[in-house]
Amino acid sequence: MVDAATKKTLAAIPILKTKAGPRDRDEWPQRLKEEFGSLIKYIQNNKEADNDWFRIESNKEGTRWFGKCWYIQEYKKYEFELEFDIPVTYPATAPEIAIPKLDGKTAKMYRGGKICLTEHFKPLWSRNAPKFGIAHALALGLGPWLAVEIPDLINRGIVKHKDDQTE
């Protein structure tokens, strides 16, 4: 079941119309244009709600994405590099978002720092493909994962703030 806050967030992210992946040379540029439009709207909504938590960019082809995401706890900002490739079967298959710095630090992660989204997010993606895009993966996948996993990693002392680390 999706809570009211998630429904509100989801309703504010534009859905995508073009069913195309990176191998669809004719349609991919249109899909990419929709992806950027959806991401821009999602970022604007986050900034307006004082909920800015990531920066992202892509390579020229829009097949490789990278950036930073962060989590704030007790007035401390914990920042992480993020990355993912667009799968060849996209948009039928969701991207696998990775936070390499956290590789092996939590059970809810696969090799290479790919965050585990199998239980909750992937069924949702499957039901909504090809309408969902990168903004949806961040909002419904990475965001909730960070909100659950990072506080636990901090409390267990596995993740330390940069100011608290000893050289």
Side-chain angles (χ1 to χ4, degrees):
M1 200 65 166
V2 179
D3 64 29
T6 303
K7 282 183 183 180
K8 183 179 176 188
T9 299
L10 189 55
I13 301 172
I15 60 169
L16 296 104
K17 295 172 178 57
T18 304
K19 183 180 180 182
R23 292 191 290 186
D24 302 311
R25 299 219 183 267
D26 295 336
E27 299 288 326
W28 180 241
Q30 177 58 36
R31 173 70 184 212
L32 210 47
K33 185 177 176 182
E34 292 174 20
E35 293 281 3
F36 279 114
S38 185
L39 274 166
I40 289 167
K41 183 64 177 164
Y42 179 50
I43 291 167
Q44 285 173 341
N45 293 344
N46 284 346
K47 287 185 177 191
E48 288 169 10
D50 196 25
N51 188 26
D52 190 28
W53 61 274
F54 70 91
R55 293 281 177 274
I56 192 167
E57 59 185 289
S58 75
N59 65 0
K60 188 177 126 186
E61 299 80 22
T63 56
R64 177 122 181 97
W65 293 76
F66 46 92
K68 292 185 184 289
C69 59
W70 52 88
Y71 184 83
I72 298 174
Q73 181 169 308
E74 296 178 8
Y75 304 107
K76 291 182 178 180
K77 183 178 180 180
Y78 297 83
E79 196 168 85
F80 309 96
E81 302 279 332
L82 73 94
E83 61 185 45
F84 60 91
D85 294 321
I86 297 296
V88 293
T89 54
Y90 188 82
T93 305
E96 293 183 322
I97 302 169
I99 304 175
K101 180 179 177 179
L102 298 178
D103 188 18
K105 295 189 177 183
T106 173
K108 294 181 182 165
M109 184 167 271
Y110 302 117
R111 187 176 311 159
K114 292 179 180 173
I115 65 173
C116 177
L117 299 172
T118 316
E119 295 293 318
H120 305 289
F121 177 68
K122 292 213 175 170
L124 187 61
W125 181 279
S126 296
R127 286 193 305 273
N128 289 283
K131 298 180 286 185
F132 275 10
I134 294 163
H136 298 88
L138 294 171
L140 301 173
L142 180 61
W145 188 92
L146 286 171
V148 169
E149 291 301 308
I150 299 305
D152 180 57
L153 292 171
I154 293 167
N155 292 337
R156 290 191 293 142
I158 295 170
V159 169
K160 295 187 185 317
H161 189 265
K162 63 184 175 185
D163 294 344
D164 298 336
Q165 293 178 357
T166 55
E167 295 291 322

